[in-house]
Amino acid sequence: MDQREIWAAIEAERHSLADMLDALPKGGDWDRPSLCEGWRIRDVAAHLAVATQAGNAAVLIEFIRARGSFNRMIRDSAIRYAERPIAGIIEEIRESAYSRRLAPTTKPLDPLFDALVHGQDIAVPLSIERPMPLEPARAAATHIWERGFPFYPQRKFRGLRLVATDVDWTVGDGVVVEGPIQALLLLISGRPAALPSLTGMGTAMLGSRLG
């Protein structure tokens, strides 16, 4: 995908996410657990809303507040932002569809990955069908596989060959694990919810790899 296609996919995903969130009941669903351990649905939505707003100085402050932990920084900032009104969070996600602003150290494929995977973090626990578009999912999966931090999939899934069944995408060497690119993207980003959609001799090894 070229830059224009990536940004178009981000815009479409953010609009779709806002529509999905707007359709949720304003009560209990927002406080249900997401696929992200320790995150509620509202925390994931808040993370998506704030993603285009933080500059270098704000990120540095959050990093210091989190005592140097990247994961704690992301989680804590999302939880604090989640106390804002739900309607405002949804509107900020919708408005962010047109933003080309990137968080420090990121590339356009990072917000695409965020929109795709965090959409599933919300949809799957609520039993909402949310198919990923194939080309954006493939581009995001390649990016995460090659990037390393923070998931380190090449190290985590060493000895396995991951093969998509619905798009041309294969990585790794070893025992085969295959399934839709959507499930493989969730897998390499550490989501056990991917496991029921995967087949192959290598699936027996996945539980211990996800830890």
Side-chain angles (χ1 to χ4, degrees), residues 191-210:
R191 272 69 172 177
L195 298 180
S197 299
L198 301 173
T199 58
M201 295 292 291
T203 56
M205 304 166 64
L206 293 179
S208 60
R209 302 297 180 91
L210 292 174

Side-chain angles (χ1 to χ4, degrees), residues 24-72:
L24 296 181
K26 296 303 188 286
D29 279 354
W30 282 77
D31 289 315
R32 289 177 60 176
S34 74
L35 292 186
C36 297
E37 186 175 357
W39 292 51
R40 302 164 297 173
I41 299 295
R42 70 166 62 234
D43 300 327
V44 178
H47 169 66
L48 290 166
V50 76
T52 61
Q53 301 179 29
N56 290 334
V59 169
L60 178 60
I61 291 170
E62 291 288 349
F63 193 66
I64 293 171
R65 181 182 287 177
R67 299 189 296 279
S69 168
F70 174 81
N71 289 332
R72 186 184 297 122

Side-chain angles (χ1 to χ4, degrees), residues 6-7 9-11 13-14 17 20-21 36 39 43-53 70-71 74-75 77-78 93 96 101-104 106-123 130 132 136-137 139-141 143-144 147 149-151 185-186 189 191:
I6 293 170
W7 283 115
I10 292 169
E11 182 176 332
E13 286 299 305
R14 286 172 172 170
L17 279 164
M20 180 180 73
L21 291 167
C36 297
W39 292 51
D43 300 327
V44 178
H47 169 66
L48 290 166
V50 76
T52 61
Q53 301 179 29
F70 174 81
N71 289 332
I74 297 297
R75 179 178 179 274
S77 61
I93 293 173
S96 75
R101 185 173 184 179
L102 292 169
T106 65
K107 299 178 180 180
L109 282 168
D110 292 300
L112 177 60
F113 163 80
D114 259 14
L116 291 169
V117 172
H118 287 316
Q120 299 302 314
D121 290 336
I122 294 169
R130 184 174 172 78
M132 288 185 190
H143 176 62
I144 294 304
R147 180 179 181 184
F149 179 83
F151 303 110
L185 180 54
L186 291 178
S189 57
R191 272 69 172 177

Side-chain angles (χ1 to χ4, degrees), residues 168-183:
D168 182 15
W169 190 81
T170 303
V171 295
D173 293 294
V175 188
V176 170
V177 172
E178 59 183 7
I181 190 65
Q182 175 167 324

